[in-house]
Amino acid sequence: MRNGFLIIGDILSLYLALMATLLLRYGSLFNQYTTLHVIPFTIIFILWLIVYYIAGLYELTNTKNSVPFYQTLLTATIICIGVAIAYFYLVPSTGIAPRANLLIFSIAAVGFIASWRWTFNALVVRTTSNATLIVGANPQSQELYDYLLANPQLGYNVLGIIDITNESAVTALAKVTQFKNVRTIVLSREALALERITSELYHLLKDKMTFTLLSNFYETITGKVPLGSIDQ
């Protein structure tokens, strides 16, 4: 879903940049030149999206307001501009004077796309609503906790880890789920093996929470197989 919003936003940003270019370049003759530019620029936009995809700019793990993200975005955009220049010089039959138009378009595209991506990344963090609780403390759960904290754009507001070796684990589980509006509970294999934990989880079924195994959730979120599950 969020990947779809990213793609749609990028497409709108590119067309806005094109419209801004035509307005600045041709003024009152804007409508006359729109048809001439739409088809060749649409081809360029398709190539543009492909470059962004290859660069990993539609991977949610990368979409955050950080220096590495904007370095990747800038590098990919420069490559896209190079592709556009090559296209117009290899296909001169488009009837478009590429130099001035591409310069204006490139500046507008960088501005619109950077603004859109900054807004998207900021909104995703602010609207993160899936309160998530990890039950069972081990190296994999700690690694998952740290990963979710570092990547709020994934949509998981991780609340913490409940140590099942603690005698107050059941009480803590009940209180956190009651007052923090927990929607997802991630369970280690050790937690599932404890009757006092599973008994409490059974009472939580009525609250329509999502229960998932730590190893499965870890692999889905990070794309890696947790080392602790390899030997099991």
Side-chain angles (χ1 to χ4, degrees), residues 65-146:
N65 291 327
S66 62
V67 172
F69 170 76
Y70 286 104
Q71 286 177 336
T72 302
L73 180 64
L74 180 60
T75 301
T77 302
I78 291 173
I79 292 172
C80 291
I81 293 170
V83 169
I85 292 172
Y87 173 81
F88 281 116
Y89 280 98
L90 291 173
V91 189
S93 59
T94 57
I96 297 173
R99 291 183 181 177
N101 288 1
L102 276 176
L103 176 61
I104 298 171
F105 171 78
S106 298
I107 295 171
V110 169
F112 280 120
I113 290 176
S115 299
W116 152 242
R117 287 306 190 107
W118 186 92
T119 301
F120 177 87
N121 295 347
L123 284 176
V124 166
V125 172
R126 291 177 186 175
T127 56
T128 297
S129 59
N130 192 334
T132 301
L133 183 65
I134 301 173
V135 181
N138 59 41
Q140 283 72 47
S141 61
Q142 184 62 53
E143 193 174 329
L144 176 63
Y145 175 79
D146 294 339

Side-chain angles (χ1 to χ4, degrees), residues 140-162:
Q140 283 72 47
S141 61
Q142 184 62 53
E143 193 174 329
L144 176 63
Y145 175 79
D146 294 339
Y147 188 85
L148 293 177
L149 274 184
N151 294 279
Q153 74 276 11
L154 296 177
Y156 294 94
N157 177 24
V158 62
L159 302 174
I161 303 172
I162 291 182

Side-chain angles (χ1 to χ4, degrees), residues 36-95:
L36 177 66
H37 285 74
V38 165
I39 293 178
F41 270 90
T42 295
I43 295 172
I44 289 172
F45 294 166
I46 293 172
L47 298 174
W48 199 293
L49 296 177
I50 292 172
V51 171
Y52 273 17
Y53 177 81
I54 294 172
L57 291 172
Y58 296 115
E59 295 291 334
L60 289 179
T61 51
N62 299 329
T63 55
K64 51 186 174 182
N65 291 327
S66 62
V67 172
F69 170 76
Y70 286 104
Q71 286 177 336
T72 302
L73 180 64
L74 180 60
T75 301
T77 302
I78 291 173
I79 292 172
C80 291
I81 293 170
V83 169
I85 292 172
Y87 173 81
F88 281 116
Y89 280 98
L90 291 173
V91 189
S93 59
T94 57

Side-chain angles (χ1 to χ4, degrees), residues 1-6 60 120:
M1 178 68 76
R2 292 180 178 180
N3 304 68
F5 280 125
L6 274 178
L60 289 179
F120 177 87

